[in-house]
Amino acid sequence: MSSPSNVLLKKAKEWCCDPDSLAFAEKLDQHDKLANFRDKFIIPKKVDLPYIDQSLITNLEEESIYLCGHSLGLQPKKASSYVQQVLENWGKRGAHSHTHGFLPAAYCDLPPKEPMARLVGAKPEEIAVMNGLSVNLHILLTSFYKPTPDRHKIVIEEYAFPSDMYAVKSQISLHKYSVDESLITVHPREGENLLKQEDILSVIEDHGESIALILLPGIQYYTGQLIDTENLVRAGHQKGCLVAVDLAHAVGNVRLELHRWGVDFAMWCTYKVRLLVVLPLISMLLDYVHKKYSYIQILNTGIFFVLNDIGEQRNKYQLGVPGLHEEKPATSTTAVVSKEQMSCKNTKASGNIMKTELRPNDANQEFDPCDGADMFKLSNPPPLLSATLMASLEIFEQVGMEEIVAKQFLLTGYLEYLIDKRFIQECSETSPRMKIVTSRDARERGNQLSLTFDIPLDVIQKEFQRRGVVCDVRLPSVIRVAPVPLYNSFADVFRFVNILKDALEDPVVSKNISPNSGVENDGRDLE
């Protein structure tokens, strides 16, 4: 596979353009199939951002350079309309809005299931929309982590997102095992930043007989490294281990085939770049549980169930929203849901949810769990959040992951090319220095590049903020920059690199250059 730089240089030669020029960036935008999708999002204006230095901005009304989708995606313009329709439904129907009208509360988790399943390569019945990431991780660990004296260990990366680490340690302690004995961490080699696939496979090979569960990220949040989930699942299953994946930074960012790969369970949030690349501010999270785990099998593991269908209603609910479970080709033209599907007017459109019929005088109350991931639901999500989720999923359905990944290859590649040219290849002895921590192999990353500098991060971030650039800092030593294919342009990338150059040449910044920068080591070995 050609590198992004080679493809870009070939285009520059074909167009007779300097690749390090605004003219080339604009030419790339002219040939961008996704360029029009930028208009479907609200791009924050510089005037509305905090910390802007008006003396550095020629036009305060211009759009900011927003490269922070991996942290919080931009708002789709349709989101406010859908939210308003939910509010109007509540106002017009009161308690009847639970089961009637636009995204009725009791069933509002159903419309997202099919488009979300296509996005991650799963079946709709393997998806549940509920709660928050850490809550769902605890629920799933409680159900799947069943340690025995012979098989009680959990494998996790040493620098996992903190809440994942907290959850794993608490589950080990809950089962009366020692964290020191039951937790195996995988980590980069000394002096390196990225995990080696062979090192993870070696841990699985050496300890597999005692490993109960492997929990790794789809994309490592700090470095932006894409983990080869498919091969890890294969290796884990060969040793009898369950394999789970935190997809918080991967969904909507890279191709996923959860069902085909045989991932046992996964969880992710829907407010980052992608939903991740794009999603709006939502605190709901998605669960994925492989279809092979029927509710009978789960019952045998001692899982608790909290919501269920009762009696004659169950068959009716399992019929689902009309069309929701029909086989459809996963093409970019597939509609996410019809207005009829989002406006359920009778109980036949309620979908396969676990609904508890309260019978306070019935001494024989029994849970009657649904099949699939819905068995884990504690409740339906708030319809206001489902409304914003649907606004984003509709855009993904219109575009398709193939187009997103194709643009991402060049968009992040262009960022990489310009940084290399301006700050690494042409760097003088007195210039601030930086390093790209993320893999240089485009097949081993998503849209994010993690950068380290020989200048304190707060100094760099302050200069970005003064100039209307939005990206984020991850302590101790990384700035994450993530152009999103659905709303970022190649011109955004070019302007960002220009602003970065101006910021680094600012006398205030230059005087902060340190000979002990940590550019060669990201410093995560802090106590």
Side-chain angles (χ1 to χ4, degrees):
M1 183 180 77
S2 297
S3 69
S5 293
N6 287 340
V7 176
L8 290 164
L9 291 174
K10 182 178 179 180
K11 289 181 179 291
K13 183 177 180 180
E14 177 186 341
W15 296 336
C16 299
C17 286
D18 178 0
D20 187 1
S21 69
L22 180 58
F24 179 67
E26 290 176 340
K27 192 77 170 178
L28 288 169
D29 287 329
Q30 291 170 13
H31 288 76
D32 176 17
K33 296 179 181 179
L34 306 186
N36 291 336
F37 283 89
R38 180 183 177 96
D39 294 336
K40 295 181 180 291
F41 296 87
I42 299 174
I43 313 294
K45 294 182 178 180
K46 292 183 178 181
V47 69
D48 295 320
L49 298 179
Y51 315 119
I52 285 290
D53 185 339
Q54 296 191 18
S55 68
L56 298 173
I57 308 297
T58 56
N59 179 11
L60 288 175
E61 290 297 322
E62 71 181 2
E63 294 172 340
S64 64
I65 299 177
Y66 194 90
L67 300 173
C68 204
H70 57 287
S71 184
L72 179 61
L74 292 181
Q75 181 185 134
K77 291 179 179 177
K78 267 194 173 182
S80 59
S81 171
Y82 284 177
V83 167
Q84 186 59 39
Q85 288 182 64
V86 170
L87 292 174
E88 289 176 358
N89 188 43
W90 173 25
K92 290 178 179 179
R93 294 181 173 86
H96 292 292
S97 66
H98 284 298
T99 54
H100 293 72
F102 183 82
L103 285 177
Y107 317 130
C108 67
D109 62 312
L110 298 180
K113 286 168 70 75
E114 186 172 308
M116 187 64 71
R118 281 193 287 271
L119 194 60
V120 299
K123 296 180 179 297
E125 60 268 28
E126 295 173 326
I127 301 291
V129 183
M130 61 188 230
N131 304 325
L133 196 153
S134 295
V135 173
N136 283 355
L137 178 55
H138 272 290
I139 290 172
L140 291 168
L141 288 175
T142 299
S143 303
F144 284 92
Y145 177 55
K146 300 297 179 183
T148 67
D150 294 328
R151 191 183 284 273
H152 56 88
K153 296 178 181 179
I154 297 179
V155 175
I156 189 171
E157 51 164 332
E158 184 174 12
Y159 302 120
F161 198 82
S163 56
D164 283 8
M165 183 66 80
Y166 302 155
V168 165
K169 288 183 176 180
S170 68
Q171 288 289 329
I172 291 173
S173 298
L174 179 67
H175 288 278
K176 309 298 183 185
Y177 284 86
S178 165
V179 170
D180 291 339
E181 295 179 0
S182 297
L183 188 68
I184 300 175
T185 58
V186 293
H187 50 80
R189 296 176 183 179
E190 185 175 355
E192 298 183 6
N193 296 289
L194 305 178
L195 295 166
K196 296 286 189 185
Q197 180 82 0
E198 57 265 34
D199 291 346
I200 304 175
L201 295 176
S202 178
V203 167
I204 296 172
E205 178 64 29
D206 293 344
H207 300 274
E209 303 301 327
S210 62
I211 295 171
L213 175 70
I214 300 166
L215 173 62
L216 291 170
I219 288 182
Q220 213 283 337
Y221 80 98
Y222 189 86
T223 65
Q225 179 184 5
L226 174 62
I227 305 299
D228 185 350
T229 299
E230 181 177 11
N231 282 331
L232 291 179
V233 170
R234 186 181 300 114
H237 286 176
Q238 286 175 352
K239 288 291 187 176
C241 314
L242 292 176
V243 183
V245 190
D246 180 343
L247 296 173
H249 290 81
V251 173
N253 186 8
V254 294
R255 295 185 186 90
L256 297 169
E257 294 288 344
L258 298 186
H259 182 82
R260 184 175 66 81
W261 295 343
V263 173
D264 292 297
F265 63 92
M267 69 298 304
W268 60 94
C269 43
T270 58
Y271 60 86
K272 298 180 186 292
V273 188
R274 345 317 173 192
L275 299 217
L276 281 171
V277 163
V278 215
L279 286 202
L281 175 59
I282 307 181
S283 59
M284 81 171 66
L285 175 127
L286 281 290
D287 261 354
Y288 160 86
V289 180
H290 198 282
K291 188 178 180 180
K292 65 186 177 184
Y293 296 106
S294 70
Y295 77 88
I296 295 176
Q297 291 171 319
I298 296 297
L299 278 171
N300 289 336
T301 68
I303 182 176
F304 61 94
F305 297 92
V306 290
L307 294 177
N308 58 294
D309 298 317
I310 298 294
E312 297 179 353
Q313 300 297 314
R314 179 171 181 175
N315 290 335
K316 181 164 57 178
Y317 291 143
Q318 288 180 330
L319 292 175
V321 175
L324 189 64
H325 299 293
E326 295 175 3
E327 292 294 327
K328 298 180 181 178
T331 66
S332 60
T333 58
T334 302
V336 77
V337 286
S338 65
K339 290 184 178 179
E340 288 75 17
Q341 286 171 318
M342 286 204 284
S343 299
C344 303
K345 296 182 179 179
N346 56 62
T347 54
K348 290 184 179 179
S350 61
N352 186 24
I353 65 173
M354 290 176 288
K355 182 179 179 182
T356 301
E357 182 176 323
L358 299 178
R359 297 175 177 175
N361 298 321
D362 186 351
N364 297 314
Q365 293 185 52
E366 296 289 343
F367 285 119
D368 185 15
C370 288
D371 296 334
D374 277 341
M375 75 179 76
F376 290 90
K377 290 194 303 183
L378 303 181
S379 178
N380 56 272
L384 291 174
L385 299 186
S386 289
T388 55
L389 176 60
M390 290 306 301
S392 291
L393 284 173
E394 284 186 356
I395 297 173
F396 278 98
E397 288 281 277
Q398 293 169 25
V399 179
M401 279 306 299
E402 291 299 317
E403 294 290 347
I404 290 173
V405 171
K407 179 178 176 181
Q408 178 199 96
F409 175 80
L410 291 181
L411 190 63
T412 299
Y414 190 45
L415 174 63
E416 177 186 38
Y417 168 80
L418 291 177
I419 288 175
D420 276 342
K421 182 176 183 297
R422 301 270 197 101
F423 307 108
I424 298 177
Q425 297 171 5
E426 299 176 359
C427 182
S428 69
E429 290 295 324
T430 59
S431 299
R433 310 186 81 179
M434 73 166 65
K435 178 183 178 182
I436 297 175
V437 171
T438 311
S439 175
R440 295 312 194 96
D441 187 337
R443 296 168 298 182
E444 297 177 357
R445 68 188 185 208
N447 67 333
Q448 171 186 330
L449 293 185
S450 296
L451 311 177
T452 59
F453 298 82
D454 61 355
I455 295 171
L457 295 186
D458 60 334
V459 174
I460 297 290
Q461 180 72 331
K462 182 178 179 180
E463 293 305 312
F464 284 156
Q465 292 172 341
R466 292 174 66 206
R467 293 166 168 82
V469 172
V470 184
C471 49
D472 78 345
V473 168
R474 277 294 172 180
L475 296 176
S477 58
V478 156
I479 287 182
R480 302 186 299 176
V481 184
V484 174
L486 288 177
Y487 52 73
N488 280 124
S489 65
F490 290 91
D492 282 341
V493 169
F494 182 80
R495 293 189 178 102
F496 166 76
V497 174
N498 278 351
I499 289 174
L500 176 57
K501 186 174 186 296
D502 290 344
L504 293 180
E505 291 175 351
D506 190 301
V508 175
V509 174
S510 298
K511 72 179 183 180
N512 283 279
I513 299 176
S514 167
N516 299 316
S517 64
V519 167
E520 296 304 320
N521 188 316
D522 69 7
R524 286 181 293 174
D525 54 352
L526 298 178
E527 296 182 357

Coordinates of all heavy atoms in Angstrom, one line a residue, residues 48-83:
D48 N -16.6 33.0 19.4 CA -17.4 32.3 20.5 C -16.5 31.5 21.4 O -17.0 30.9 22.4 CB -18.5 31.5 20.0 CG -19.6 32.3 19.3 OD1 -19.9 33.4 19.8 OD2 -20.0 31.9 18.2
L49 N -15.2 31.4 21.1 CA -14.3 30.5 21.9 C -13.7 31.3 23.0 O -13.4 32.5 22.9 CB -13.2 29.9 21.0 CG -13.7 29.0 19.9 CD1 -12.4 28.6 19.1 CD2 -14.4 27.8 20.4
P50 N -13.4 30.7 24.2 CA -12.7 31.4 25.2 C -11.2 31.5 24.9 O -10.7 30.8 24.0 CB -12.9 30.4 26.4 CG -13.1 29.1 25.8 CD -13.8 29.3 24.5
Y51 N -10.6 32.5 25.5 CA -9.1 32.6 25.5 C -8.6 33.2 24.1 O -7.4 33.3 23.9 CB -8.4 31.3 25.7 CG -8.9 30.6 26.9 CD1 -9.4 29.3 26.8 CD2 -8.9 31.1 28.2 CE1 -9.9 28.6 27.8 CE2 -9.4 30.4 29.3 CZ -9.9 29.2 29.1 OH -10.4 28.5 30.1
I52 N -9.5 33.6 23.2 CA -9.1 34.2 22.0 C -8.4 35.5 22.2 O -8.8 36.4 23.0 CB -10.3 34.5 21.1 CG1 -10.8 33.2 20.5 CG2 -10.0 35.4 19.9 CD1 -9.9 32.6 19.4
D53 N -7.3 35.7 21.5 CA -6.5 37.0 21.5 C -6.9 37.8 20.2 O -6.5 37.4 19.1 CB -5.0 36.7 21.5 CG -4.2 38.0 21.7 OD1 -4.7 39.1 21.3 OD2 -3.0 37.9 22.1
Q54 N -7.8 38.8 20.4 CA -8.3 39.5 19.2 C -7.2 40.1 18.4 O -7.4 40.3 17.2 CB -9.3 40.5 19.7 CG -10.6 39.9 20.3 CD -11.7 40.9 20.5 OE1 -11.7 41.9 19.9 NE2 -12.6 40.5 21.4
S55 N -6.1 40.4 19.0 CA -5.0 41.1 18.2 C -4.4 40.1 17.2 O -3.7 40.5 16.3 CB -3.9 41.6 19.2 OG -3.2 40.5 19.8
L56 N -4.6 38.8 17.4 CA -4.0 37.8 16.5 C -5.0 37.3 15.5 O -4.6 36.5 14.6 CB -3.5 36.6 17.3 CG -2.4 36.9 18.3 CD1 -2.1 35.6 19.2 CD2 -1.2 37.3 17.6
I57 N -6.3 37.7 15.5 CA -7.3 37.2 14.7 C -7.8 38.4 13.7 O -8.2 39.4 14.2 CB -8.5 36.7 15.5 CG1 -8.1 35.7 16.5 CG2 -9.6 36.1 14.5 CD1 -7.4 34.4 15.9
T58 N -7.7 38.2 12.4 CA -8.1 39.2 11.5 C -9.6 39.2 11.3 O -10.2 40.3 11.1 CB -7.5 38.9 10.1 OG1 -7.8 37.6 9.7 CG2 -6.0 39.1 10.2
N59 N -10.3 38.1 11.5 CA -11.7 38.0 11.3 C -12.3 37.1 12.4 O -12.3 35.9 12.3 CB -12.1 37.5 9.9 CG -13.6 37.4 9.8 OD1 -14.4 37.9 10.6 ND2 -14.0 36.7 8.7
L60 N -12.9 37.7 13.4 CA -13.4 37.0 14.6 C -14.6 36.1 14.2 O -15.0 35.2 14.9 CB -13.8 37.9 15.7 CG -12.6 38.6 16.5 CD1 -13.1 39.6 17.5 CD2 -11.8 37.5 17.2
E61 N -15.3 36.4 13.1 CA -16.5 35.7 12.7 C -16.2 34.4 11.9 O -17.1 33.7 11.6 CB -17.4 36.6 11.8 CG -18.1 37.7 12.6 CD -19.0 37.2 13.7 OE1 -19.7 36.2 13.5 OE2 -19.0 37.8 14.8
E62 N -14.9 34.3 11.6 CA -14.5 33.1 10.8 C -14.6 31.8 11.7 O -14.5 31.9 12.9 CB -13.2 33.2 10.1 CG -12.0 33.2 11.1 CD -10.7 33.4 10.4 OE1 -10.7 33.6 9.1 OE2 -9.6 33.3 11.0
E63 N -14.7 30.7 11.0 CA -14.8 29.4 11.8 C -13.5 29.1 12.4 O -12.4 29.3 11.8 CB -15.3 28.3 10.8 CG -16.7 28.5 10.3 CD -17.1 27.5 9.2 OE1 -16.1 26.9 8.6 OE2 -18.3 27.3 9.0
S64 N -13.6 28.5 13.6 CA -12.3 28.0 14.2 C -11.8 26.8 13.5 O -12.4 26.2 12.6 CB -12.7 27.6 15.7 OG -13.6 26.5 15.7
I65 N -10.5 26.5 13.8 CA -9.9 25.2 13.3 C -10.1 24.2 14.4 O -9.4 24.1 15.4 CB -8.5 25.5 12.9 CG1 -8.3 26.5 11.9 CG2 -7.8 24.2 12.5 CD1 -6.9 26.9 11.5
Y66 N -11.1 23.4 14.2 CA -11.6 22.4 15.2 C -11.0 21.0 14.9 O -11.4 20.4 13.9 CB -13.1 22.3 15.2 CG -13.6 21.6 16.5 CD1 -13.9 22.4 17.6 CD2 -13.8 20.3 16.5 CE1 -14.3 21.7 18.8 CE2 -14.3 19.6 17.6 CZ -14.6 20.4 18.7 OH -15.0 19.7 19.9
L67 N -10.0 20.6 15.6 CA -9.3 19.4 15.4 C -9.4 18.5 16.7 O -8.4 17.8 17.1 CB -7.8 19.6 15.0 CG -7.6 20.4 13.7 CD1 -6.2 20.8 13.5 CD2 -8.2 19.7 12.5
C68 N -10.6 18.5 17.3 CA -10.7 17.9 18.6 C -11.9 16.9 18.6 O -12.5 16.6 19.6 CB -11.0 19.0 19.7 SG -10.6 18.5 21.4
G69 N -12.2 16.4 17.4 CA -13.3 15.4 17.3 C -13.1 14.2 18.1 O -14.1 13.5 18.5
H70 N -11.9 13.8 18.4 CA -11.6 12.6 19.2 C -12.0 12.8 20.6 O -12.2 11.8 21.4 CB -10.1 12.2 19.1 CG -9.3 13.4 19.6 ND1 -9.1 14.5 18.9 CD2 -8.6 13.6 20.8 CE1 -8.3 15.3 19.6 NE2 -8.0 14.8 20.7
S71 N -12.2 14.0 21.0 CA -12.6 14.3 22.4 C -14.1 14.7 22.5 O -14.8 14.1 23.4 CB -11.8 15.5 22.9 OG -12.0 15.7 24.3
L72 N -14.5 15.5 21.6 CA -16.0 15.9 21.5 C -16.3 16.3 20.1 O -15.8 17.3 19.6 CB -16.3 17.0 22.5 CG -17.8 17.4 22.5 CD1 -18.7 16.2 22.8 CD2 -18.1 18.6 23.4
G73 N -17.1 15.5 19.5 CA -17.5 15.8 18.1 C -18.4 17.0 18.0 O -19.0 17.4 18.9
L74 N -18.4 17.6 16.8 CA -19.3 18.8 16.5 C -20.7 18.4 16.4 O -21.1 17.2 16.1 CB -18.8 19.5 15.3 CG -17.4 20.2 15.4 CD1 -17.1 20.9 14.1 CD2 -17.4 21.1 16.6
Q75 N -21.6 19.4 16.6 CA -23.0 19.1 16.7 C -23.6 19.1 15.2 O -23.4 20.1 14.5 CB -23.7 20.2 17.4 CG -25.2 20.1 17.5 CD -25.9 21.3 18.2 OE1 -26.9 21.8 17.7 NE2 -25.3 21.7 19.3
P76 N -24.3 18.0 14.9 CA -25.0 18.0 13.6 C -26.1 19.0 13.6 O -26.8 19.2 14.7 CB -25.5 16.6 13.5 CG -24.7 15.8 14.5 CD -24.3 16.7 15.6
K77 N -26.3 19.7 12.5 CA -27.4 20.8 12.5 C -28.8 20.2 12.8 O -29.6 20.9 13.3 CB -27.3 21.5 11.2 CG -26.1 22.4 11.0 CD -26.1 23.1 9.7 CE -24.8 24.0 9.6 NZ -24.7 24.6 8.3
K78 N -29.0 18.9 12.4 CA -30.3 18.3 12.6 C -30.6 18.0 14.1 O -31.7 17.7 14.5 CB -30.4 17.0 11.8 CG -31.0 17.2 10.4 CD -31.4 15.9 9.9 CE -32.2 16.0 8.6 NZ -32.6 14.7 8.0
A79 N -29.5 18.0 14.9 CA -29.7 17.6 16.3 C -30.7 18.4 17.0 O -31.6 17.9 17.8 CB -28.4 17.6 17.0
S80 N -30.6 19.8 16.9 CA -31.5 20.6 17.6 C -33.0 20.4 17.1 O -33.9 20.5 17.9 CB -31.1 22.1 17.4 OG -31.1 22.5 16.0
S81 N -33.2 20.2 15.8 CA -34.5 19.9 15.3 C -35.1 18.6 15.9 O -36.3 18.6 16.4 CB -34.5 19.8 13.8 OG -35.7 19.3 13.3
Y82 N -34.3 17.6 16.0 CA -34.8 16.3 16.6 C -35.1 16.5 18.1 O -36.0 15.9 18.6 CB -33.8 15.2 16.3 CG -33.8 14.7 14.9 CD1 -32.9 13.7 14.5 CD2 -34.7 15.1 14.0 CE1 -32.9 13.2 13.2 CE2 -34.7 14.7 12.7 CZ -33.8 13.7 12.3 OH -33.9 13.2 11.1
V83 N -34.2 17.2 18.8 CA -34.4 17.5 20.2 C -35.7 18.2 20.4 O -36.5 17.9 21.3 CB -33.2 18.2 20.8 CG1 -33.6 18.8 22.2 CG2 -32.0 17.3 20.9

